[in-house]
Amino acid sequence: MQRLILALPGNEPFADRLAAACGGARGRIQTRRFPDGESYVRLLDEVAGRTVDLVCTLAHPDGQLAMLLFAADCARELGAAQVNLVAPYLAYMRQDARFHPGEAVSSRTFARVLSAHFDALVTVDPHLHRHPALDAVYTIPATALHAAPLPADWIAGNVARPLIVGPDEESGQWAGAVAARIGAPCVVLRKTRHGDREVDIAPADLGRYRGHTPVLVDDIASSGHTLLAAGRLLREQGLERPECVVVHALADADAHAALCRVFTRFTSTDSVPHPSNRIGLAPLVARALAGAGHGPATE
Ligand code: R5P
């Protein structure tokens, strides 16, 4: 039997693309909320003996987690041979330290919960900064795929004379990988965060890059303020109107509108469904599922 690919609500289009890319069967899962808000899950296909991939990008983890865990446990109780989580965006990776006394290190707790319910995890560009790798917090086989070649190739095909710009030190790994692949110059700016929506980007002299098109590259756009501040700094330097490419677009409608005012295009991968999606990740994820540790394609 083919592996069974099940989509949690909102993940159906990605699951369709993933099934097409890996030759898996698209299974059916029924979900709803009871009047009091509790979650209901029912698996509508036979899972016994099969590899089951639950697709759930975790852009809204607090509202998604219960349903996801119920589906995973249900598949296991009904005899699935292996239950994998495919989360193109993995939440709670940025709270990777106790920055202030008394804070919860949510990345560790979240990892413990998912590790207890799944056999393996596949994700794309998790925010690894103070945790050196997923296995520092996940106790199941956890694959962190690197999307950088895909945004890099999109930039090479769509932007003339790009200058790759990372808005802060944490973005350096993504900006550097993109720039290296396409042989573009790369600059990484310095950010100070004062609050969820208050960031400063240190002035930088970028005058020698006039004639290039700056492309801000980051892993995540959330409130969008990091990229907006960096975009404004680039404009102040007299550079061309910038482009922006991120892996995970969490930006809500207001943040997206603000980003579209500053950038020629705000572009993202489809790790999170978003109007800015232009770069598809399903083939990358499909190749990972075919690899070791994620169950055979057919049983
Ligand atoms: C953190 O360092 C990440 O790389 C992003 O820069 C950050 O998550 C973006 O957040 P926001 O869009 O809210 O500024």
Side-chain angles (χ1 to χ4, degrees), residues 86-178:
V86 176
Y89 172 68
L90 183 60
Y92 281 120
M93 289 301 291
R94 284 169 291 176
Q95 187 72 25
D96 55 1
R98 210 178 308 285
F99 300 103
H100 302 286
E103 283 182 349
V105 183
S106 41
S107 56
R108 281 206 292 263
T109 304
F110 199 65
R112 267 200 298 275
V113 171
L114 292 182
S115 296
H117 292 264
F118 288 92
D119 294 309
L121 162 69
V122 177
T123 188
V124 180
D125 283 328
H127 190 85
L128 291 170
H129 190 58
R130 278 155 287 259
H131 297 317
L134 283 176
D135 63 13
V137 281
Y138 282 82
T139 54
I140 51 175
T143 304
L145 300 170
H146 298 294
L150 300 170
D153 293 349
W154 186 89
I155 292 166
N158 290 278
V159 182
R161 297 200 72 206
L163 162 68
I164 306 302
V165 182
D168 57 22
E169 281 127 341
E170 295 185 27
S171 69
Q173 55 181 301
W174 288 279
V178 166

Side-chain angles (χ1 to χ4, degrees), residues 94 127 168 170 191 193 218-226:
R94 284 169 291 176
H127 190 85
D168 57 22
E170 295 185 27
K191 173 176 84 177
R193 185 178 281 286
D218 205 354
D219 59 336
I220 301 170
S222 178
S223 73
H225 283 267
T226 297

Side-chain angles (χ1 to χ4, degrees), residues 172-225:
Q173 55 181 301
W174 288 279
V178 166
R181 180 171 172 94
I182 60 177
C186 181
V187 173
V188 176
L189 304 172
R190 277 184 301 115
K191 173 176 84 177
T192 306
R193 185 178 281 286
H194 304 288
D196 289 345
R197 292 180 167 73
E198 294 83 37
V199 298
D200 284 333
I201 307 279
D205 182 6
L206 303 176
R208 67 182 180 283
Y209 294 112
R210 293 209 180 95
H212 287 269
T213 304
V215 185
L216 277 162
V217 170
D218 205 354
D219 59 336
I220 301 170
S222 178
S223 73
H225 283 267

